[in-house]
Amino acid sequence: MTGAGKRIRVAVAGLGVIARTVHLPLLQRRADLFDIVALSDLSPARLADLGDRYGVEPDRRHTDAAAMVTGGGCDAVLLATSGSHGELAAIALSRGLPVLCEKPLAYTLAEAQRLTEAGAALMVGYMKQYDPAVTEAARLLEGIGGPAAVHAVEVTVRHASGGRQLAFANLPPAPGDVPAAAAGRLVEADQRLLDAAVGTDAGTRTLYQILINSICHDLSLLRLFTGPPATVDHVATWPLAPAGPAEPSVEISGRLPAGGRYGIRWLNLPDCPAYQETVTLHHARGALELDFPSPYLLNAPTTLTAVDRHGDGERRTVFRSVTEAFEQELVAFHAMVTAGAHPLTGIAEGAADLRTSQQVVRRYGELTGAAIGGEAAS
């Protein structure tokens, strides 16, 4: 397909939180580029509600995502289902359908390799790479020497609970009409993939899921600014309190490709009033500081503060833009489908993040004695 202004007929699989709060509203907003022609979800009630809201014909509403993908009538597929997207992405790619795939791309490197062999175009949904503040930070970094100029990268994520992040959206309760057998089959499939990725240790699996579902965004920014981590030297996890939340906090550090250092602290703070993420690139002449708001708040600006010396003092230059990162990602997806533009994260780059996540898990096992299995053990 060619033509920068051509509307893409897009099919959306998975109508959970990210689809309802972000993707569907933005696809509708960008009706100059996209036409929502098919939906799939396990819940018939949710399908009916959103199908009516977005004008999708009743015969294009599917409770089986694979049936929607193979049913034809679309130019591209957006995958927002839970768990691994490896199988659905492979089905779409095998039919020549370009894919925008929410993270995680997959659970295993074997799935990623299968996608590579499919040969069609795929973009992983790392919207922060398309944030205007990130684009400006990359431009400024290039002007001071690029990745080699980075002395250290510090990342801190204060991860508030989903309820606190989404309170503004007034989403309806989870539907009660999801067939238990269908949901159970998906859970079992994901469990088998986790076994294949990292083994059966419960703490290891929890760490891996935090990595591929959340910390992957920070890994994607490291790739963009400096290249992927050269080493994983330190990994630690710890609970908020003895009876704290099931997910621990995570700390990772190591060496960057050009010799600098990175540190990531992902703090699970469910009662924190708001999500916040800061990414600071330190260089010899100052720093580039990115402050991200909750990803669900559309058009809430990320703040970039460039710090350097000015005369005998410090100069701080602030950049903000209300241009939405998710919308810029959709524009880039349109360019990939219509003009063959390479995404910032395709299959190879998504696989690199899986590989780094498995390296983190392997180092965690070395430091703690936790049993590591599957791909991460090799």
Side-chain angles (χ1 to χ4, degrees), residues 17-86:
V17 167
I18 193 68
R20 284 177 287 161
T21 59
V22 173
H23 289 309
L24 290 172
L26 287 177
L27 287 168
Q28 186 179 60
R29 179 192 292 184
R30 295 310 306 260
D32 58 323
L33 301 179
F34 299 97
D35 182 16
I36 305 169
V37 297
L39 298 173
S40 71
D41 195 83
L42 291 177
S43 166
R46 185 176 284 171
L47 266 177
D49 175 35
L50 294 174
D52 289 347
R53 188 181 310 177
Y54 291 99
V56 175
E57 296 297 329
D59 63 346
R60 303 303 307 280
R61 306 173 189 179
H62 301 266
T63 54
D64 183 333
M68 180 192 73
V69 172
T70 58
C74 65
D75 304 312
V77 178
L78 192 159
L79 300 181
T81 50
S82 61
S84 173
H85 297 106

Side-chain angles (χ1 to χ4, degrees), residues 60-200:
R60 303 303 307 280
R61 306 173 189 179
H62 301 266
T63 54
D64 183 333
M68 180 192 73
V69 172
T70 58
C74 65
D75 304 312
V77 178
L78 192 159
L79 300 181
T81 50
S82 61
S84 173
H85 297 106
E87 181 177 355
L88 274 177
I91 293 171
L93 294 179
S94 70
R95 283 157 177 78
L97 292 172
V99 173
L100 171 54
C101 173
E102 268 298 332
K103 44 78 182 172
L105 168 64
Y107 281 6
T108 67
L109 292 169
E111 292 172 275
Q113 179 59 35
R114 180 186 175 194
L115 297 178
T116 300
E117 294 164 356
L122 181 145
M123 169 190 284
V124 181
Y126 290 142
M127 79 293 182
K128 287 174 181 170
Q129 292 188 319
Y130 293 94
D131 191 302
V134 170
T135 302
E136 177 65 5
R139 186 188 70 81
L140 293 174
L141 179 61
E142 188 63 27
I144 59 175
V150 177
H151 183 66
V153 180
E154 292 181 288
V155 178
T156 301
V157 178
R158 293 201 294 269
H159 198 273
S161 69
R164 289 193 179 276
Q165 291 188 55
L166 290 162
F168 75 95
N170 295 313
L171 295 174
D177 62 344
V178 174
R185 284 192 295 272
L186 294 178
V187 170
E188 289 174 4
D190 276 352
Q191 295 303 310
R192 288 193 297 271
L193 289 170
L194 282 172
D195 288 347
V198 298
T200 60

Side-chain angles (χ1 to χ4, degrees), residues 16-377:
V17 167
I18 193 68
R20 284 177 287 161
T21 59
V22 173
H23 289 309
L24 290 172
L26 287 177
L27 287 168
Q28 186 179 60
R29 179 192 292 184
R30 295 310 306 260
D32 58 323
L33 301 179
F34 299 97
D35 182 16
I36 305 169
V37 297
L39 298 173
S40 71
D41 195 83
L42 291 177
S43 166
R46 185 176 284 171
L47 266 177
D49 175 35
L50 294 174
D52 289 347
R53 188 181 310 177
Y54 291 99
V56 175
E57 296 297 329
D59 63 346
R60 303 303 307 280
R61 306 173 189 179
H62 301 266
T63 54
D64 183 333
M68 180 192 73
V69 172
T70 58
C74 65
D75 304 312
V77 178
L78 192 159
L79 300 181
T81 50
S82 61
S84 173
H85 297 106
E87 181 177 355
L88 274 177
I91 293 171
L93 294 179
S94 70
R95 283 157 177 78
L97 292 172
V99 173
L100 171 54
C101 173
E102 268 298 332
K103 44 78 182 172
L105 168 64
Y107 281 6
T108 67
L109 292 169
E111 292 172 275
Q113 179 59 35
R114 180 186 175 194
L115 297 178
T116 300
E117 294 164 356
L122 181 145
M123 169 190 284
V124 181
Y126 290 142
M127 79 293 182
K128 287 174 181 170
Q129 292 188 319
Y130 293 94
D131 191 302
V134 170
T135 302
E136 177 65 5
R139 186 188 70 81
L140 293 174
L141 179 61
E142 188 63 27
I144 59 175
V150 177
H151 183 66
V153 180
E154 292 181 288
V155 178
T156 301
V157 178
R158 293 201 294 269
H159 198 273
S161 69
R164 289 193 179 276
Q165 291 188 55
L166 290 162
F168 75 95
N170 295 313
L171 295 174
D177 62 344
V178 174
R185 284 192 295 272
L186 294 178
V187 170
E188 289 174 4
D190 276 352
Q191 295 303 310
R192 288 193 297 271
L193 289 170
L194 282 172
D195 288 347
V198 298
T200 60
D201 179 77
T204 299
R205 290 158 76 98
T206 297
L207 170 61
Y208 189 60
Q209 288 181 291
I210 293 171
L211 287 161
I212 64 175
N213 285 304
S214 188
I215 295 176
C216 59
H217 282 293
D218 303 299
L219 297 179
S220 79
L221 292 176
L222 280 179
R223 273 194 299 99
L224 185 69
F225 291 130
T226 69
T231 67
V232 178
D233 299 336
H234 172 73
V235 183
T237 66
W238 70 103
L240 182 63
E247 287 189 330
S249 294
V250 178
E251 182 178 71
I252 309 163
S253 64
R255 182 170 55 84
L256 295 169
R261 303 286 300 180
Y262 71 92
I264 299 173
R265 279 194 167 188
W266 186 92
L267 306 176
N268 188 22
L269 303 171
D271 292 327
C272 188
Y275 173 97
Q276 187 175 30
E277 177 178 358
T278 59
V279 177
T280 305
L281 286 76
H282 300 276
H283 56 87
R285 291 155 54 184
L288 300 171
E289 302 173 348
L290 289 158
D291 190 352
F292 296 89
S294 171
Y296 299 109
L297 297 174
L298 295 183
N299 299 100
T302 297
T303 300
L304 167 64
T305 305
V307 182
D308 62 5
R309 191 177 68 186
H310 184 67
D312 294 331
E314 177 189 78
R315 175 172 56 188
R316 302 177 72 87
T317 306
V318 176
F319 173 90
R320 293 190 185 93
S321 171
V322 296
T323 299
E324 173 53 45
F326 275 110
E327 184 173 346
Q328 292 299 95
E329 178 184 74
L330 285 175
V331 172
F333 179 55
H334 184 274
M336 184 186 83
V337 175
T338 61
H342 189 79
L344 293 177
T345 295
I347 298 169
E349 295 84 0
D353 293 339
L354 284 177
R355 193 171 295 108
T356 298
S357 296
Q358 292 188 7
Q359 290 171 346
V360 172
V361 165
R362 182 162 59 251
R363 184 60 177 153
Y364 172 77
E366 293 169 351
L367 293 172
T368 66
I372 308 300
E375 293 174 339

